[in-house]
Amino acid sequence: MDGNGRWAKQRGLPRLKGHEQGAESVRAVLRAARQAGVKYLTLYAFSTENWIRPKDEVEGLMNLLGVFMDRYEGEILKNKIRLRVMGQIERLPENLQKKLSKLMEKSAKDYEYTLIVALSYGSRLEIAEAAKAIARKAASGELDPETVNEETVAQHLYLPDVPDPELMIRTSGELRLSNFLLWQLSYAELYVTDVFWPDFREEQFFQALEAFNQRGRRYGGVVTQ
Ligand code: FPP
């Protein structure tokens, strides 16, 4: 969800205003994704690297996430969206952790769509943690190291039951993966747009889906469409 800061700067506004408008884009994209029948949507809201941003911005973002959960809880539940999170959740402010836990529990009862928010997330860390968990099992004899394969690693990531993303959208023209879902994105189609995240709404999301639909996906094989 890149470009919130630049969006604000262009308008002479504080960066946090960009994040606030970005939260409106989250709502718009959630609506569009539901309309299009997208079952899983993962948003990279805060990376492990983002902690080094100015204290005010970090606090403002954490606050904004809490406000979002409070304000749109009804909308999330009504639309049968299940909230899940991935990352170092224990590093988040305690009140935000509580809000997230409550909504995760409530929204898990009856859902059709899944919204995953990556918070204090880093993909290398996720993979390292998976390696640690596998090593522990091997050391205790629970698992034979010779049987470790791709499936074993995938099963030890944060959300092993979530399918790999088919499409990765990056806004504001950045051409990097920035430590996001490195394992899971192996076969994903990449879509980059120059639009800043606060301006990325329904129309832009449908354009991304349209571009995705034009691609011939091969998974290393030959083109079939
Ligand atoms: C990156 O833009 C954006 C972020 C670090 C924060 C994204 C968070 C939100 C949009 C808040 C709402 C989220 C949810 C899930 C409700 P940037 O600040 O790096 O922008 P820049 O590259 O232009 O500086």
Side-chain angles (χ1 to χ4, degrees), residues 53-83:
R53 291 196 176 197
K55 193 166 166 266
D56 282 1
E57 186 174 347
V58 171
E59 276 177 13
L61 267 171
M62 295 299 151
N63 199 28
L64 182 60
L65 285 161
V67 168
F68 187 93
M69 299 304 150
D70 284 342
R71 194 173 291 162
Y72 301 121
E73 171 174 322
E75 202 168 296
I76 290 170
L77 297 174
K78 188 178 103 220
N79 291 322
K80 294 186 186 283
I81 298 169
R82 177 184 182 184
L83 174 73

mmCIF file of all heavy atoms in Angstrom, residues 53-83:
data_model
loop_
_atom_site.group_PDB
_atom_site.id
_atom_site.type_symbol
_atom_site.label_atom_id
_atom_site.label_comp_id
_atom_site.label_asym_id
_atom_site.label_seq_id
_atom_site.Cartn_x
_atom_site.Cartn_y
_atom_site.Cartn_z
ATOM 1 N N ARG A 53 10.534 4.307 11.606
ATOM 2 C CA ARG A 53 9.940 5.598 11.206
ATOM 3 C C ARG A 53 9.771 6.484 12.443
ATOM 4 O O ARG A 53 9.765 5.981 13.571
ATOM 5 C CB ARG A 53 8.572 5.357 10.555
ATOM 6 C CG ARG A 53 8.724 4.690 9.221
ATOM 7 C CD ARG A 53 7.464 4.784 8.411
ATOM 8 N NE ARG A 53 7.689 4.211 7.105
ATOM 9 C CZ ARG A 53 6.916 4.406 6.042
ATOM 10 N NH1 ARG A 53 5.856 5.167 6.145
ATOM 11 N NH2 ARG A 53 7.184 3.847 4.895
ATOM 12 N N PRO A 54 9.610 7.809 12.245
ATOM 13 C CA PRO A 54 9.440 8.688 13.420
ATOM 14 C C PRO A 54 8.321 8.180 14.340
ATOM 15 O O PRO A 54 7.307 7.654 13.867
ATOM 16 C CB PRO A 54 9.067 10.040 12.795
ATOM 17 C CG PRO A 54 9.561 9.969 11.390
ATOM 18 C CD PRO A 54 9.522 8.530 10.975
ATOM 19 N N LYS A 55 8.566 8.368 15.653
ATOM 20 C CA LYS A 55 7.651 7.855 16.674
ATOM 21 C C LYS A 55 6.202 8.295 16.410
ATOM 22 O O LYS A 55 5.265 7.502 16.540
ATOM 23 C CB LYS A 55 8.125 8.368 18.035
ATOM 24 C CG LYS A 55 7.496 7.716 19.228
ATOM 25 C CD LYS A 55 8.279 8.053 20.490
ATOM 26 C CE LYS A 55 7.494 7.703 21.725
ATOM 27 N NZ LYS A 55 6.726 8.833 22.273
ATOM 28 N N ASP A 56 6.052 9.561 16.031
ATOM 29 C CA ASP A 56 4.709 10.102 15.782
ATOM 30 C C ASP A 56 3.981 9.340 14.680
ATOM 31 O O ASP A 56 2.784 9.083 14.776
ATOM 32 C CB ASP A 56 4.792 11.566 15.298
ATOM 33 C CG ASP A 56 5.039 12.498 16.446
ATOM 34 O OD1 ASP A 56 5.165 11.997 17.580
ATOM 35 O OD2 ASP A 56 5.118 13.724 16.199
ATOM 36 N N GLU A 57 4.740 9.019 13.624
ATOM 37 C CA GLU A 57 4.104 8.321 12.501
ATOM 38 C C GLU A 57 3.730 6.892 12.902
ATOM 39 O O GLU A 57 2.632 6.413 12.576
ATOM 40 C CB GLU A 57 5.021 8.303 11.273
ATOM 41 C CG GLU A 57 4.298 7.700 10.068
ATOM 42 C CD GLU A 57 5.094 7.774 8.766
ATOM 43 O OE1 GLU A 57 6.102 8.497 8.706
ATOM 44 O OE2 GLU A 57 4.681 7.074 7.817
ATOM 45 N N VAL A 58 4.631 6.222 13.643
ATOM 46 C CA VAL A 58 4.337 4.844 14.085
ATOM 47 C C VAL A 58 3.102 4.854 14.984
ATOM 48 O O VAL A 58 2.149 4.087 14.780
ATOM 49 C CB VAL A 58 5.557 4.216 14.815
ATOM 50 C CG1 VAL A 58 5.194 2.890 15.450
ATOM 51 C CG2 VAL A 58 6.726 4.040 13.847
ATOM 52 N N GLU A 59 3.085 5.789 15.940
ATOM 53 C CA GLU A 59 1.932 5.866 16.861
ATOM 54 C C GLU A 59 0.649 6.184 16.096
ATOM 55 O O GLU A 59 -0.398 5.599 16.354
ATOM 56 C CB GLU A 59 2.175 6.945 17.923
ATOM 57 C CG GLU A 59 3.004 6.410 19.068
ATOM 58 C CD GLU A 59 3.331 7.481 20.115
ATOM 59 O OE1 GLU A 59 2.704 8.576 20.078
ATOM 60 O OE2 GLU A 59 4.209 7.213 20.937
ATOM 61 N N GLY A 60 0.776 7.105 15.153
ATOM 62 C CA GLY A 60 -0.385 7.499 14.355
ATOM 63 C C GLY A 60 -0.938 6.322 13.564
ATOM 64 O O GLY A 60 -2.154 6.133 13.481
ATOM 65 N N LEU A 61 -0.044 5.535 13.012
ATOM 66 C CA LEU A 61 -0.477 4.368 12.224
ATOM 67 C C LEU A 61 -1.156 3.324 13.107
ATOM 68 O O LEU A 61 -2.192 2.751 12.735
ATOM 69 C CB LEU A 61 0.733 3.726 11.532
ATOM 70 C CG LEU A 61 1.021 4.200 10.119
ATOM 71 C CD1 LEU A 61 2.353 3.657 9.634
ATOM 72 C CD2 LEU A 61 -0.104 3.765 9.167
ATOM 73 N N MET A 62 -0.559 3.068 14.280
ATOM 74 C CA MET A 62 -1.147 2.085 15.205
ATOM 75 C C MET A 62 -2.539 2.544 15.637
ATOM 76 O O MET A 62 -3.486 1.770 15.714
ATOM 77 C CB MET A 62 -0.251 1.898 16.451
ATOM 78 C CG MET A 62 1.102 1.301 16.153
ATOM 79 S SD MET A 62 0.939 -0.349 15.424
ATOM 80 C CE MET A 62 2.397 -0.428 14.417
ATOM 81 N N ASN A 63 -2.632 3.845 15.894
ATOM 82 C CA ASN A 63 -3.892 4.436 16.290
ATOM 83 C C ASN A 63 -4.937 4.279 15.178
ATOM 84 O O ASN A 63 -6.079 3.880 15.420
ATOM 85 C CB ASN A 63 -3.629 5.921 16.583
ATOM 86 C CG ASN A 63 -4.713 6.509 17.415
ATOM 87 O OD1 ASN A 63 -5.346 5.797 18.191
ATOM 88 N ND2 ASN A 63 -4.966 7.797 17.234
ATOM 89 N N LEU A 64 -4.487 4.570 13.951
ATOM 90 C CA LEU A 64 -5.376 4.495 12.792
ATOM 91 C C LEU A 64 -5.901 3.057 12.597
ATOM 92 O O LEU A 64 -7.079 2.862 12.270
ATOM 93 C CB LEU A 64 -4.593 4.953 11.552
ATOM 94 C CG LEU A 64 -5.324 5.012 10.219
ATOM 95 C CD1 LEU A 64 -6.499 5.975 10.297
ATOM 96 C CD2 LEU A 64 -4.372 5.466 9.106
ATOM 97 N N LEU A 65 -5.034 2.091 12.826
ATOM 98 C CA LEU A 65 -5.465 0.690 12.697
ATOM 99 C C LEU A 65 -6.551 0.366 13.717
ATOM 100 O O LEU A 65 -7.548 -0.285 13.396
ATOM 101 C CB LEU A 65 -4.272 -0.258 12.875
ATOM 102 C CG LEU A 65 -3.319 -0.312 11.677
ATOM 103 C CD1 LEU A 65 -1.965 -0.881 12.074
ATOM 104 C CD2 LEU A 65 -3.939 -1.156 10.553
ATOM 105 N N GLY A 66 -6.367 0.862 14.943
ATOM 106 C CA GLY A 66 -7.361 0.639 16.000
ATOM 107 C C GLY A 66 -8.683 1.303 15.651
ATOM 108 O O GLY A 66 -9.754 0.695 15.784
ATOM 109 N N VAL A 67 -8.611 2.544 15.173
ATOM 110 C CA VAL A 67 -9.815 3.290 14.795
ATOM 111 C C VAL A 67 -10.538 2.553 13.671
ATOM 112 O O VAL A 67 -11.763 2.418 13.677
ATOM 113 C CB VAL A 67 -9.448 4.746 14.369
ATOM 114 C CG1 VAL A 67 -10.622 5.448 13.706
ATOM 115 C CG2 VAL A 67 -8.945 5.544 15.556
ATOM 116 N N PHE A 68 -9.761 2.059 12.716
ATOM 117 C CA PHE A 68 -10.342 1.331 11.579
ATOM 118 C C PHE A 68 -11.128 0.122 12.067
ATOM 119 O O PHE A 68 -12.258 -0.121 11.645
ATOM 120 C CB PHE A 68 -9.225 0.898 10.624
ATOM 121 C CG PHE A 68 -9.723 0.294 9.336
ATOM 122 C CD1 PHE A 68 -9.899 1.090 8.207
ATOM 123 C CD2 PHE A 68 -10.028 -1.060 9.232
ATOM 124 C CE1 PHE A 68 -10.358 0.556 7.013
ATOM 125 C CE2 PHE A 68 -10.488 -1.617 8.042
ATOM 126 C CZ PHE A 68 -10.652 -0.798 6.929
ATOM 127 N N MET A 69 -10.518 -0.647 12.986
ATOM 128 C CA MET A 69 -11.180 -1.856 13.510
ATOM 129 C C MET A 69 -12.480 -1.487 14.230
ATOM 130 O O MET A 69 -13.503 -2.138 14.066
ATOM 131 C CB MET A 69 -10.267 -2.629 14.478
ATOM 132 C CG MET A 69 -8.969 -3.125 13.865
ATOM 133 S SD MET A 69 -9.240 -4.151 12.396
ATOM 134 C CE MET A 69 -7.759 -3.802 11.468
ATOM 135 N N ASP A 70 -12.416 -0.408 15.031
ATOM 136 C CA ASP A 70 -13.614 0.023 15.772
ATOM 137 C C ASP A 70 -14.700 0.480 14.807
ATOM 138 O O ASP A 70 -15.846 0.072 14.895
ATOM 139 C CB ASP A 70 -13.288 1.224 16.681
ATOM 140 C CG ASP A 70 -12.523 0.793 17.915
ATOM 141 O OD1 ASP A 70 -12.546 -0.414 18.230
ATOM 142 O OD2 ASP A 70 -11.900 1.661 18.551
ATOM 143 N N ARG A 71 -14.288 1.355 13.888
ATOM 144 C CA ARG A 71 -15.271 2.006 13.016
ATOM 145 C C ARG A 71 -15.917 1.039 12.039
ATOM 146 O O ARG A 71 -17.092 1.151 11.740
ATOM 147 C CB ARG A 71 -14.576 3.136 12.260
ATOM 148 C CG ARG A 71 -15.535 4.072 11.589
ATOM 149 C CD ARG A 71 -14.837 5.275 10.977
ATOM 150 N NE ARG A 71 -14.286 6.200 11.946
ATOM 151 C CZ ARG A 71 -13.353 7.120 11.645
ATOM 152 N NH1 ARG A 71 -12.878 7.203 10.419
ATOM 153 N NH2 ARG A 71 -12.906 7.935 12.559
ATOM 154 N N TYR A 72 -15.150 0.079 11.551
ATOM 155 C CA TYR A 72 -15.686 -0.775 10.482
ATOM 156 C C TYR A 72 -15.958 -2.216 10.914
ATOM 157 O O TYR A 72 -16.164 -3.080 10.081
ATOM 158 C CB TYR A 72 -14.764 -0.716 9.255
ATOM 159 C CG TYR A 72 -14.632 0.696 8.757
ATOM 160 C CD1 TYR A 72 -13.397 1.324 8.676
ATOM 161 C CD2 TYR A 72 -15.766 1.429 8.405
ATOM 162 C CE1 TYR A 72 -13.285 2.646 8.255
ATOM 163 C CE2 TYR A 72 -15.673 2.752 7.999
ATOM 164 C CZ TYR A 72 -14.430 3.350 7.918
ATOM 165 O OH TYR A 72 -14.341 4.656 7.524
ATOM 166 N N GLU A 73 -15.977 -2.433 12.215
ATOM 167 C CA GLU A 73 -16.265 -3.786 12.709
ATOM 168 C C GLU A 73 -17.595 -4.283 12.141
ATOM 169 O O GLU A 73 -17.687 -5.402 11.623
ATOM 170 C CB GLU A 73 -16.308 -3.796 14.245
ATOM 171 C CG GLU A 73 -16.818 -5.119 14.779
ATOM 172 C CD GLU A 73 -16.748 -5.252 16.287
ATOM 173 O OE1 GLU A 73 -15.774 -4.773 16.885
ATOM 174 O OE2 GLU A 73 -17.679 -5.860 16.846
ATOM 175 N N GLY A 74 -18.627 -3.398 12.209
ATOM 176 C CA GLY A 74 -19.961 -3.774 11.714
ATOM 177 C C GLY A 74 -19.914 -4.157 10.246
ATOM 178 O O GLY A 74 -20.480 -5.175 9.833
ATOM 179 N N GLU A 75 -19.225 -3.336 9.468
ATOM 180 C CA GLU A 75 -19.122 -3.557 8.024
ATOM 181 C C GLU A 75 -18.398 -4.890 7.729
ATOM 182 O O GLU A 75 -18.803 -5.655 6.850
ATOM 183 C CB GLU A 75 -18.316 -2.390 7.434
ATOM 184 C CG GLU A 75 -18.531 -2.143 5.968
ATOM 185 C CD GLU A 75 -17.921 -0.791 5.542
ATOM 186 O OE1 GLU A 75 -18.394 0.261 6.022
ATOM 187 O OE2 GLU A 75 -16.965 -0.804 4.738
ATOM 188 N N ILE A 76 -17.357 -5.137 8.495
ATOM 189 C CA ILE A 76 -16.569 -6.362 8.297
ATOM 190 C C ILE A 76 -17.427 -7.600 8.598
ATOM 191 O O ILE A 76 -17.473 -8.549 7.816
ATOM 192 C CB ILE A 76 -15.285 -6.321 9.180
ATOM 193 C CG1 ILE A 76 -14.315 -5.260 8.613
ATOM 194 C CG2 ILE A 76 -14.615 -7.689 9.285
ATOM 195 C CD1 ILE A 76 -13.135 -4.925 9.497
ATOM 196 N N LEU A 77 -18.157 -7.538 9.721
ATOM 197 C CA LEU A 77 -18.974 -8.700 10.113
ATOM 198 C C LEU A 77 -20.152 -8.894 9.156
ATOM 199 O O LEU A 77 -20.444 -10.007 8.734
ATOM 200 C CB LEU A 77 -19.467 -8.549 11.554
ATOM 201 C CG LEU A 77 -18.362 -8.517 12.625
ATOM 202 C CD1 LEU A 77 -18.949 -8.215 13.997
ATOM 203 C CD2 LEU A 77 -17.569 -9.828 12.653
ATOM 204 N N LYS A 78 -20.796 -7.767 8.810
ATOM 205 C CA LYS A 78 -21.963 -7.836 7.914
ATOM 206 C C LYS A 78 -21.580 -8.439 6.562
ATOM 207 O O LYS A 78 -22.333 -9.196 5.957
ATOM 208 C CB LYS A 78 -22.547 -6.438 7.734
ATOM 209 C CG LYS A 78 -23.865 -6.418 6.984
ATOM 210 C CD LYS A 78 -24.421 -5.025 6.864
ATOM 211 C CE LYS A 78 -24.158 -4.567 5.461
ATOM 212 N NZ LYS A 78 -23.769 -3.294 5.137
ATOM 213 N N ASN A 79 -20.391 -8.090 6.103
ATOM 214 C CA ASN A 79 -19.955 -8.575 4.792
ATOM 215 C C ASN A 79 -19.253 -9.938 4.847
ATOM 216 O O ASN A 79 -18.623 -10.356 3.871
ATOM 217 C CB ASN A 79 -19.049 -7.535 4.130
ATOM 218 C CG ASN A 79 -19.838 -6.304 3.741
ATOM 219 O OD1 ASN A 79 -20.978 -6.392 3.299
ATOM 220 N ND2 ASN A 79 -19.250 -5.142 3.928
ATOM 221 N N LYS A 80 -19.352 -10.577 5.983
ATOM 222 C CA LYS A 80 -18.786 -11.921 6.177
ATOM 223 C C LYS A 80 -17.299 -11.990 5.831
ATOM 224 O O LYS A 80 -16.847 -12.864 5.082
ATOM 225 C CB LYS A 80 -19.572 -12.950 5.356
ATOM 226 C CG LYS A 80 -21.008 -13.129 5.844
ATOM 227 C CD LYS A 80 -21.662 -14.267 5.085
ATOM 228 C CE LYS A 80 -23.121 -14.414 5.419
ATOM 229 N NZ LYS A 80 -23.390 -15.049 6.685
ATOM 230 N N ILE A 81 -16.576 -11.020 6.374
ATOM 231 C CA ILE A 81 -15.129 -10.991 6.171
ATOM 232 C C ILE A 81 -14.451 -11.478 7.452
ATOM 233 O O ILE A 81 -14.735 -10.975 8.544
ATOM 234 C CB ILE A 81 -14.642 -9.559 5.829
ATOM 235 C CG1 ILE A 81 -15.296 -9.091 4.518
ATOM 236 C CG2 ILE A 81 -13.120 -9.508 5.737
ATOM 237 C CD1 ILE A 81 -15.110 -7.622 4.217
ATOM 238 N N ARG A 82 -13.589 -12.442 7.293
ATOM 239 C CA ARG A 82 -12.825 -12.922 8.443
ATOM 240 C C ARG A 82 -11.499 -12.169 8.502
ATOM 241 O O ARG A 82 -10.774 -12.104 7.514
ATOM 242 C CB ARG A 82 -12.546 -14.422 8.297
ATOM 243 C CG ARG A 82 -11.701 -14.956 9.432
ATOM 244 C CD ARG A 82 -11.343 -16.411 9.228
ATOM 245 N NE ARG A 82 -10.575 -16.888 10.368
ATOM 246 C CZ ARG A 82 -10.043 -18.094 10.449
ATOM 247 N NH1 ARG A 82 -10.199 -18.953 9.455
ATOM 248 N NH2 ARG A 82 -9.347 -18.452 11.506
ATOM 249 N N LEU A 83 -11.190 -11.603 9.667
ATOM 250 C CA LEU A 83 -9.926 -10.885 9.833
ATOM 251 C C LEU A 83 -8.864 -11.836 10.377
ATOM 252 O O LEU A 83 -9.110 -12.580 11.334
ATOM 253 C CB LEU A 83 -10.113 -9.713 10.810
ATOM 254 C CG LEU A 83 -8.827 -8.974 11.187
ATOM 255 C CD1 LEU A 83 -8.329 -8.111 10.022
ATOM 256 C CD2 LEU A 83 -9.024 -8.111 12.425
#
